[in-house]
Every structure is written in C-alpha cells, then in structure tokens.
Amino acid sequence: MRARAFFARDKVPWGVHPHDHKRPAADVATRTLPLPERLYVPLQQHIGAPARPVVMAGKKVYKGQLIAEAQGPTSAAVHAPTSGRVHAIGEITAPHPSGLAMTAIIIESDGEDEWIDSSPCRDPFALPPEEIATRIAAAGIVGLGGATFPAALKLASAHKAKIHTLILNGCECEPYLSCDDRLMRDAADEIVAGIRLMMRATGAQQALIGIEENKPEAIAAMRAATHHSPAVEVRVVPARYPMGSEKHLFSMLMGREIPADCRTTDLGALVHNVGTAHAVYQAICAGHPLVERLLTVHGAAVAHPGNLWVPIGALVSDVFAFAGLLGEPARLVMGGPMMGVQLPHMQVPVIKGTSGLLALSAEEIGSTSPSSCIRCASCVRACPVGLLPLEMAARIKAGKLTAAVDFGLKDCLACGCCTFVCPAHIPLVHYFLHAKNELAARARTELRLEATKRLAAARKERLEREAKEKAEAAARRKAERMAQKAALHRSSEEATV
Amino acid sequence: MIVAIVSLTLLGLALGFALGFAAKRFAVAQDAGLAAIEALMPGTNCGQCGYAGCAGAAAAIARAEAPPTICPPGGKALVEALAKRLGFSVDVASLTEPDPKIASVDEEICIGCCRCLKVCPTDAIIGAPKQIHNVLREACTGCAQCLDRCPTEAIKMTPIPLTLQHWVWPKPVLNGTLGVMS
C-alpha cells in the first residue's frame, strides 16, 4: 500500500510537495472555543451578492435565527451564531488582502447559547431532491473548502446537468491545515450521511471520497463509516499540492483531464468538500444552519495548536487568546500558507470559509528578497495547469497584460506553487493576482463605457421624441383653436340669420 | 415681369447646377478614421476634455493636438482602444486615473428646481419640480456638468468608495535595475 502510494506520487507530474506541518496539531483532540462576548457576523461570507440584514439593532436573537437573507440568485443566508442581542450593524475589517472594511451584524452574546426552535427531519432520505437543496440554501451553507460558493446552487446545477459522480474533497493539501482530517476522524458517520443526502440532491449514482495518503486515521475512519454504503467509496490519493483543487482531484479520481473552458459538472461530476457534507448533515438532519465551523489554529507562534469549533463572527484575537501565543507572531494568515490571506491585525472575524488561522514565527516565513529571473523553469515544472509562469510574469511586469492572457493567465489557479519553488524568490503569484484584478477592473470600465454610450443615446432619443411630441401637441392645439374659431364663426352667422 | 421671372429662373437653375457640380467634383471625403475614433468615445458630449463635445475631442485626437488621455469618463479602457485603433503604444499601467467621482445631492439643501437634471448627459439625475432630486450611482459618469447649475450648491462630487469587489492587488514593486524588492 505504502509502496504503491510512493510510486503514485512519482506519477503526479505537477505541483509541489511542501513539508505538511500537519502534526502534532492534527492529533490533538478537537476543542470548542469559549463563547466570545461579541460576535461580528459579516454579511458577505460567500461569493456573490452580500446578504440583506433582516434584524434591527437592539433586537433579541436566538442561535440559528436568520439575521440576513440571501439577496439575488448567487448569495447565501446568514444566521445568528449564538443567542443574544443585536448590538449594531457596523463595520469590521474584512479577511481580505486589502484590509478594507465590510458590513457586519454585531451580536452581543447573552451567554445562554439558546437555539431557535429547529425542526430536525426524521426521515431526510424521503425528501425530494429540490427540497434538500432548498433546505441547504436556507441553512446558508457555502463551500467550506475555501471557495465559499453557495452549496445549494452547485447541487441544483449538478442535478440539472445530470451528473453521475459526486466527488468529496478530503485532500486538505494545504500545509498546516488539519480541520478536514480531524472532522473525518471525529464525525465520519455524519459526513457519510451528508454525502448520501447530497447524492440524493444531485442524482449522482456514486460518491468518491478523495483523501491524501498522509491521513491514515481519517482514511480508516471513513472506510469504516462507508462500510454499509456500497455507492460511497474512499479513494486514497497521493499527497501533493494542490491535490485539493477540484480539477486536479477530478483528474486523479476519474482519469480524465478537464479542458480549460469546462467545469467538472460538464464531465458528469460535482466536487464538494467533506466539511460541506458535514454542514449539510447538520442542516437537514439536525435542522441547524451553518453557524460554526471547525478550523485549525497553528503556526510556530501558537502555544497550543489544534482544531477548534469556532462560532462564525468570533474575532481572530479571541481564537488566539484561547490557543495562546508565544510572543508576537511575525505574520498572521487566514487559511493555509499557500493560498491564505495575510491579515493586517487580529480584529478580523472568522467567516464560513475560514479553514485555518496561522500565527507564523519569523523563522517559518524566512526572509526573501527577490532577485532576477534566471530562467531555470522550476515554475514551469511546478505549475499544476501547465502554464509558463516566468513568461507570464515577465509580460505583466512590462505591463502587457493581454500578452499574459495569451499565455493562459485565465487558467492560473493562483495556487502559489510557482512562487514556492522560485529560487529567485520572485513573487510570481502576486503578479498573476494583480493582472487578474487589473483585467477585471478594465472589463468593468469597458462595460461602464458601453452603458454610458447607451444612456447618452437614450437621452438623445428622448430629447428628440419630446421635441416631436411638443410640436405635435402645438399643432393639435392650433387645429383645435381653428376649429373652435370656425364653430364660433358659424354659430354667429346662424344667429344673424 | 415675364423677363424678370425667366431671368431669375435661369439664374437659379444655372447656379444650382454649378453648386451641384461643385459638390460632387470638389467633395471632401468624410474621414472614416475620424468617425471610427468618434465611435469609441463615450458620446455624452460632457465637455470635460475642453473640446466641443466628443466629435471635437475625436478630431483633436486625430490631429494629434490632444493626448489620447484627455477623456476622463473613457479612462484607461478608452486609451487602450485608441492605441489599438491609431497604432501607437502606450503604457496603460503607468497611467494614473484621477479617483473616479460621482455626483451626489444633499437632500437638505436641494430645492427641486430641475436645473441639474436638464444638463445631465446620461439622465442620471431623477427628480421633478419641487421634489428632492437624486443621482443614480450606476448611471453617473462624474462629468460635473450639474455642479454649476445648482443654485443652492446641493450637488457635490464625491469619490466612489473602494469596495472589496473593486480592489486590485497592487503590482509587486521591484527596485530599479537590480530587480530587488525595495
């Protein structure tokens, strides 16, 4: 088994293999964060439009109560993570590289942690597929792997596309993170129940759970839990970053590569994270919306690393206060070290997509000063999508963004493999992120210009129409006046006769 | 009388034919390039460039009297389109756009005079006589034509706030010839 996995890794022609740093944090028993006094629940924790608040300041809320409803087709509902009073609807620093503020509902906890009347479903497998998707949407579930795309939308579109396979992502290829590993060890049965519900919602006939080989305990737990479900199968995949990318996991499990402009649903498979499956189980079987999540607290600056159940909206400072800090961390990261977001400070809330909080020491980061590219092509070998990062970066550096697009910039996952291996420490992935954002901004400007042209034309048309109508009205009035005059004339003539 | 009618008719006909001939013979072809440039412009005739509308600006750009960057509503996208059309190269990344601004109406001062909405080139201001006016954020181009029309100075140009969706990762800054990060 071990030998096979070893050879399998050799066969993976892409990606990198950083030291995973997952243990000992992964082996520490799961803990629960003590309830903070205040929770800052952002309205935008998902891809799409921000949710619209449905509570006012001063209102009493219960745990699991809807506090902001989904707005528009791509959006997700937000629920109160504990019982208490809505203190305000204010602003808090977003867990985003910009460090800009975002709107959040601030809830003052009353310490009771009292659930709203939830309606657990006695026979969830009798629910029709649409009803399962509706309940998942109502529970505000988003992809917990980090992409935070509303889960119900994904399930509904997969149902429409008539997929045959549901792929569960238990790879957790990011170093340091072990929350999915821990969840699979602790709640394997619940995850499998969630998987079966998702299979019902999508109409998939089989489910494959992809787990990296470096998690033997999770593999054993999931194998035991799937023993009685022949349609659900655990597949061990080589530990290689970024195995958790949905396209790469699909290729690994299905033996097919995905064309650049295709999604996995086009090829009959839907990829979801195991954490999402657990949230689905909680939502349908227990009636509990997504108000807390398991996350990894790790890094050399953390005194007691491990996995914690944290309510959504808890501040990063609350989490680190509980886990303990050994001195001042050199860098704070939300998510994994490869694709995570560097935080400006600790007054940032935990959101649905927060898989980990890292407090890294200076030794872990290392000091890197970029030098010139030596064209060694290490990045080319590492790139999991087969791009030429050095060529793209050179063009972006020269401001030729469209030339970088010709080299396949749009297919870049921003996984950071190229930056990880670059011996010259060139911040390659930052160039790509910059270029992607800049291109999106230009596309927006272009759309705006188009809209302006349309509006200007509409105004011109309106002015012409109004002038015409005015002229017509004047002509009509004149005709009426003439007719009136003629009638008057005639009647006076008749009177004289 | 007949002599006068006939002579004037003949004169008219002769001059008419002469003019018609001249119009055909000495016609100046409408510059197709100019029309193409004009089509790229926003078409709002807002006058921020200082020329008489978009046609004037297009002509000035075509004669190379004005830089391709004079159109604030067009922004970088227009500069790029012009560069493509006119075949010059421009480092778009180095251009700094002034912070985009849009008009906003102070509800407490607005008297509902309707003067501003008559000049708006994109019909971005809604209002009626003696009703407080308002600006449609999506439609406003920030041309500031309405600014001087307001008798009570209720209109202000406010910068568009930067949101998470519009934020752009800054380009990595490298230091000079060595390519070493500063």
Side-chain angles (χ1 to χ4, degrees):
Chain A
M1 157 74 209
R2 195 154 273 241
R4 216 175 66 204
F6 179 78
F7 286 120
R9 177 162 66 210
D10 272 353
K11 273 184 208 154
V12 180
W14 44 256
V16 291
H17 189 69
H19 188 295
D20 68 12
H21 291 281
K22 285 179 193 280
R23 287 161 211 271
D27 298 325
V28 179
T30 305
R31 289 165 290 169
T32 304
L33 182 78
L35 206 55
E37 276 175 25
R38 269 193 192 170
L39 293 166
Y40 300 79
V41 191
L43 298 175
Q44 172 104 58
Q45 303 182 44
H46 48 265
I47 289 183
R52 185 172 41 217
V54 291
V55 288
M56 305 261 275
K59 193 177 157 42
K60 159 102 185 152
V61 290
Y62 292 95
K63 187 177 185 177
Q65 183 178 335
L66 182 77
I67 53 173
E69 62 185 11
Q71 189 176 215
T74 312
S75 186
V78 176
H79 301 78
T82 187
S83 62
R85 201 177 56 83
V86 176
H87 174 71
I89 297 178
E91 288 200 322
I92 185 96
T93 307
H96 189 266
S98 66
L100 289 169
M102 71 199 304
T103 314
I105 299 179
I106 303 159
I107 294 178
E108 228 160 45
S109 162
D110 60 7
E112 305 286 324
D113 210 24
E114 192 181 345
W115 277 97
I116 194 168
D117 289 333
S118 55
S119 49
C121 186
R122 278 172 210 286
D123 189 9
F125 292 98
L127 293 172
E130 295 78 23
E131 177 61 22
I132 295 178
T134 312
R135 288 190 187 202
I136 290 171
I141 296 176
V142 298
L144 296 183
T148 64
F149 190 82
L153 275 181
K154 247 171 109 171
L155 292 174
S157 71
H159 190 241
K160 212 180 275 172
K162 296 200 170 28
I163 58 144
H164 48 74
T165 306
L166 181 69
I167 295 176
L168 272 299
N169 191 345
C171 294
E172 203 161 49
C173 55
E174 275 264 11
Y176 288 90
L177 303 187
S178 56
C179 60
D180 289 348
D181 181 10
R182 201 64 232 175
L183 194 66
M184 287 190 282
R185 293 193 211 179
D186 292 351
D189 290 322
E190 295 174 8
I191 292 173
V192 173
I195 293 170
R196 288 174 57 215
L197 282 167
M198 291 211 275
M199 285 169 75
R200 190 163 164 73
T202 54
Q205 291 101 44
Q206 62 160 350
L208 303 175
I209 309 170
I211 308 175
E212 278 192 354
E213 66 198 340
N214 58 3
K215 304 177 187 64
E217 298 90 348
I219 294 168
M222 290 305 285
R223 284 223 164 107
T226 53
H227 192 65
H228 299 292
S229 315
V232 185
E233 196 189 325
V234 176
R235 291 267 183 97
V236 180
V237 293
R240 187 95 181 147
Y241 180 85
M243 187 61 81
S245 145
E246 70 170 22
K247 289 191 172 184
H248 292 87
L249 183 60
F250 174 91
S251 307
M252 192 46 81
L253 294 181
M254 311 294 282
R256 285 180 72 183
E257 201 168 315
I258 303 180
D261 49 357
C262 268
R263 273 181 284 181
T264 55
T265 42
D266 298 329
L267 301 180
L270 177 71
V271 184
H272 258 304
N273 188 267
V274 285
T276 317
H278 183 259
V280 165
Y281 167 84
Q282 287 290 334
I284 308 258
C285 299
H288 290 169
L290 182 57
V291 291
E292 57 178 356
R293 71 155 294 147
L294 193 63
L295 59 81
T296 306
V297 188
H298 208 343
V302 178
H304 305 288
N307 287 286
L308 302 179
W309 281 102
V310 176
I312 305 297
L315 291 182
V316 171
S317 55
D318 297 330
V319 177
F320 280 128
F322 178 69
L325 280 178
L326 308 166
E328 190 65 23
R331 186 177 291 172
L332 294 168
V333 177
M334 185 176 279
M338 298 295 279
M339 286 187 80
V341 173
Q342 192 177 335
L343 300 177
H345 49 74
M346 288 201 195
Q347 305 303 310
V348 176
V350 166
I351 57 170
K352 291 172 183 176
T354 306
S355 47
L357 289 173
L358 310 179
L360 304 173
S361 67
E363 296 84 64
E364 280 175 297
I365 308 170
S367 66
T368 52
S369 53
S371 50
S372 297
C373 175
I374 54 169
R375 298 185 71 79
C376 66
S378 300
C379 52
V380 179
R381 274 193 298 280
C383 182
V385 243
L387 303 177
L388 302 173
L390 76 165
E391 297 289 347
M392 294 201 298
R395 271 152 189 84
I396 295 164
K397 198 174 162 188
K400 293 177 180 151
L401 301 191
T402 36
V405 173
D406 295 339
F407 271 94
L409 178 67
K410 297 224 161 121
D411 291 313
C412 168
L413 304 172
C415 65
C417 285
C418 47
T419 309
F420 178 77
V421 296
C422 182
H425 304 300
I426 298 171
L428 291 159
V429 77
H430 288 104
Y431 278 111
F432 306 148
L433 289 167
H434 158 74
K436 282 171 177 224
N437 285 181
E438 184 66 33
L439 285 168
R442 280 189 208 169
R444 272 197 303 274
T445 321
E446 234 155 85
L447 275 179
R448 213 181 151 86
L449 199 62
E450 282 302 309
T452 305
K453 274 186 198 170
R454 244 189 348 265
L455 285 167
R459 174 182 156 88
K460 204 174 146 209
E461 195 258 340
R462 176 179 70 84
L463 290 177
E464 278 166 10
R465 195 187 60 232
E466 278 178 1
K468 207 173 120 202
E469 279 170 3
K470 227 179 210 169
E472 276 172 8
R476 210 168 40 242
R477 272 201 305 278
K478 198 176 173 190
E480 274 170 19
R481 258 201 320 277
M482 294 296 271
Q484 246 171 15
K485 221 184 228 172
L488 210 71
H489 192 67
R490 214 176 305 126
S491 61
S492 65
E493 261 180 15
E494 275 167 14
T496 47
V497 167
Chain B
M1 165 122 168
I2 291 172
V3 174
I5 290 172
V6 170
S7 61
L8 276 174
T9 311
L10 285 176
L11 197 64
L13 277 172
L15 286 174
F17 276 114
L19 277 174
F21 174 74
K24 286 267 185 220
R25 178 70 182 77
F26 306 110
V28 180
Q30 167 70 31
D31 192 352
L34 192 62
I37 294 172
E38 209 185 316
L40 295 174
M41 311 293 290
T44 51
N45 300 325
C46 70
Q48 285 182 80
C49 54
Y51 288 91
C54 291
I61 292 170
R63 288 195 303 270
E65 279 170 15
T69 48
I70 52 163
C71 178
K76 284 184 191 175
L78 178 67
V79 176
E80 228 174 9
L82 284 171
K84 213 168 169 185
R85 185 77 186 81
L86 299 175
F88 62 88
S89 66
V90 65
D91 186 12
V92 179
S94 68
L95 296 176
T96 48
E97 284 182 82
D99 287 341
K101 287 184 174 175
I102 54 168
S104 66
V105 175
D106 190 338
E107 285 99 343
E108 287 180 6
I109 316 179
C110 177
I111 51 167
C113 68
C114 287
R115 283 186 211 183
C116 55
L117 46 103
K118 279 180 193 146
V119 294
C120 180
T122 51
D123 278 345
I125 308 177
I126 46 171
K130 297 199 174 162
Q131 305 288 320
I132 293 169
H133 303 339
N134 210 337
V135 179
L136 298 171
R137 299 172 63 97
E138 290 79 13
C140 178
T141 58
C143 72
Q145 292 227 2
C146 48
L147 206 58
D148 301 333
R149 298 291 171 136
C150 184
T152 58
E153 292 185 3
I155 294 180
K156 282 182 189 71
M157 300 305 289
T158 46
I160 302 171
L162 188 63
T163 64
L164 293 177
Q165 285 78 24
H166 296 124
W167 180 79
V168 175
W169 261 94
K171 190 172 173 179
V173 185
L174 299 174
N175 193 358
T177 51
L178 286 168
V180 176
M181 198 170 229
S182 54

